[in-house]
Amino acid sequence: AGSETDLAGAVKRQFAGHHRAMAITGATLLGLGLIPGMPKMPFLLLAAIAGTVAYIGLKAPAGASTAEPTAAPPSAGTSGPEKVEKLLALDPLELEVGYSLIPLVDPGQGGDLLERVRLVRRQFATDLGFVVPPVRVRDNLQIKPTAYVIKIRGLVVARGELMAGHFLAMNPGTVTESVPGVATTEPTFGLPALWIAPEDRERAQVFGYTVVDPSSVITTHLTETIRRHARDLVGRQEVQALVDLLKPTQPSVVEALVPHLLSLGTVQKVLQNLLAEGVSIRDLALILEVLADAAPATKDPTLLTEYARQALGRAICRDLTGGEGVLKVFTLSPGLEQLLGDALADGDQGRYLAMDPRVAQRVIETIAKTIGQGGPDGTPVLLCSPAIRPHLKRLTERYLPHLAVLSYNEIGPEVTLKA
């Protein structure tokens, strides 16, 4: 029964509600009863019953049908409880655009933003080894017509504003002449930029500007937002899906680790810690093997993460060196290493850095000043001992999110250090 009533009541209403069908049935039964050699009484009796039901239904006044009832409009004081369960669901990842940016989303108007979002999801599956949840794209009349916002689990984590019909021109430091435009700030990295007219695009490129279209601006912002909040997009269900995907090819690794040695939640925390620092988890089999080896000694997700990073050291260094084999790093003085090591304390949640806030602020300011004086090209890298590496990263990640902190155990013999 597809309705909310019992099966007997549903059958009764549906048979009695289709009068034309009953009339056709009665005529067919009557014809079968008149065929020579067929038992007349059963067919004639059923034909009479079907014909009577059809006659009564066809003679009934309009609106008196006994077919499946529909819900009456709720009246004051008699309406049933409202079903609000669907309102509780949160989309893992959302992109909301103002109505002036709808042409970027609508393929019928030449918009290619949806296709670019699909490419972003494929890129993360290849680079970081996890599947980004589907991005729900919708329009929002409550924001500015030229604005967009990016939400993770219902909360706004990034926003930007575009100028429809214009291109964004950025100066990479090689511009020879300026072009007219509206001064703005690039929404992803906060760089100064210009909104220029379409007719000035080629001229700006000739002068050395990096020119991108509005869809590329949103796509870049979405990519960096996902990269910064990757750990928030990997829940236990996503980790279970990754483990199930690995199980057919690596059954011994999966069955030995989860749930006998480590819980799924602990594995999730380790993967989140790796993704938080931009470390790819694509080699999940290696990560699980390392966790299985280290699990009898410790269940601390922070220590397990360090073991996994050491096993993935070659891949981490390759990403930082660009495959050239030379890694330019900053190092800590022995005195600062000793200061940070002495500040480590044990708590209920594992080890943590118990340092005077004023001293911690001085350390952060010194690191920021040093890496800002030049030095390594690309992502700045700070090298330290394995014992303080996770705590130093946690200390600096809020103020220096792009600073990579490595331990000596993560540097392979094929990597040449330039300190």
Side-chain angles (χ1 to χ4, degrees), residues 236 239 257-269 291 299:
R236 296 196 179 186
V239 173
L257 180 63
V258 182
H260 303 294
L261 295 177
L262 292 177
S263 65
L264 187 66
T266 304
V267 176
Q268 174 200 359
K269 291 178 182 177
L291 297 182
K299 300 292 190 295

Side-chain angles (χ1 to χ4, degrees), residues 361 364 392-403:
Q361 185 64 31
I364 295 172
L392 184 58
K393 176 60 181 177
R394 195 170 303 168
L395 177 67
T396 59
E397 64 182 353
R398 181 183 296 274
Y399 306 96
L400 304 169
H402 297 292
L403 175 64

Side-chain angles (χ1 to χ4, degrees), residues 62-307:
S65 173
T66 57
E68 188 75 18
T70 58
S75 58
T78 61
S79 60
E82 181 184 3
K83 297 186 183 223
V84 297
E85 290 81 1
K86 293 183 179 179
L87 300 178
L88 300 178
L90 290 175
D91 293 310
L93 197 55
E94 295 178 77
L95 173 62
E96 296 182 349
V97 299
Y99 67 84
S100 294
L101 304 182
I102 292 179
L104 302 178
V105 182
D106 186 8
Q109 303 183 47
D112 60 347
L113 184 58
L114 295 181
E115 181 59 29
R116 296 194 182 197
V117 170
R118 296 189 188 98
L119 295 178
V120 168
R121 297 184 67 224
R122 294 178 187 175
Q123 175 186 347
F124 274 98
T126 303
D127 294 346
L128 291 183
F130 82 102
V131 179
V132 176
V135 182
R136 183 179 292 275
V137 182
R138 65 180 75 184
D139 61 317
N140 187 348
L141 299 179
Q142 297 179 349
I143 62 177
K144 292 182 178 180
T146 58
Y148 65 91
V149 296
I150 302 173
K151 294 182 178 180
I152 293 181
R153 304 193 185 280
L155 299 177
V156 177
V157 295
R159 64 175 70 245
E161 192 169 349
L162 308 177
M163 183 173 287
H166 289 68
F167 290 86
L168 188 68
M170 294 170 288
N171 183 0
T174 60
V175 173
T176 57
E177 294 185 34
S178 61
V179 294
V182 179
T184 185
T185 301
E186 193 271 336
T188 305
F189 302 104
L191 303 175
L194 293 173
W195 286 111
I196 62 174
E199 56 268 20
D200 295 328
R201 180 182 182 182
E202 293 185 2
R203 187 165 58 134
Q205 291 175 334
V206 172
F207 291 162
Y209 283 93
T210 300
V211 182
V212 294
D213 57 90
S215 294
S216 298
V217 175
I218 298 179
T219 304
T220 303
H221 203 175
L222 179 64
T223 302
E224 287 301 314
T225 302
I226 295 175
R227 194 179 302 277
R228 295 173 186 172
H229 297 83
R231 65 176 305 159
D232 300 326
L233 299 174
V234 180
R236 296 196 179 186
Q237 190 62 42
E238 288 75 18
V239 173
Q240 185 64 61
L242 292 175
V243 172
D244 293 340
L245 187 64
L246 182 65
K247 192 172 183 179
T249 57
Q250 303 283 342
S252 58
V253 177
V254 175
E255 294 172 359
L257 180 63
V258 182
H260 303 294
L261 295 177
L262 292 177
S263 65
L264 187 66
T266 304
V267 176
Q268 174 200 359
K269 291 178 182 177
V270 172
L271 297 182
Q272 286 179 331
N273 292 340
L274 293 173
L275 290 173
E277 298 192 43
V279 179
S280 174
I281 61 172
R282 190 174 182 182
D283 195 353
L284 185 60
L286 176 60
I287 297 174
L288 297 186
E289 286 183 1
V290 173
L291 297 182
D293 294 337
T298 179
K299 300 292 190 295
D300 185 0
T302 301
L303 291 178
L304 293 173
T305 303
E306 294 307 301
Y307 288 127

Side-chain angles (χ1 to χ4, degrees), residues 356-395:
D356 184 274
R358 292 172 297 179
V359 178
Q361 185 64 31
R362 286 175 54 194
V363 171
I364 295 172
E365 291 175 354
T366 303
I367 294 175
K369 181 180 179 181
T370 304
I371 66 175
Q373 292 176 349
D377 299 329
T379 303
V381 180
L382 188 60
L383 194 61
C384 62
S385 63
I388 67 173
R389 194 216 70 83
H391 309 287
L392 184 58
K393 176 60 181 177
R394 195 170 303 168
L395 177 67

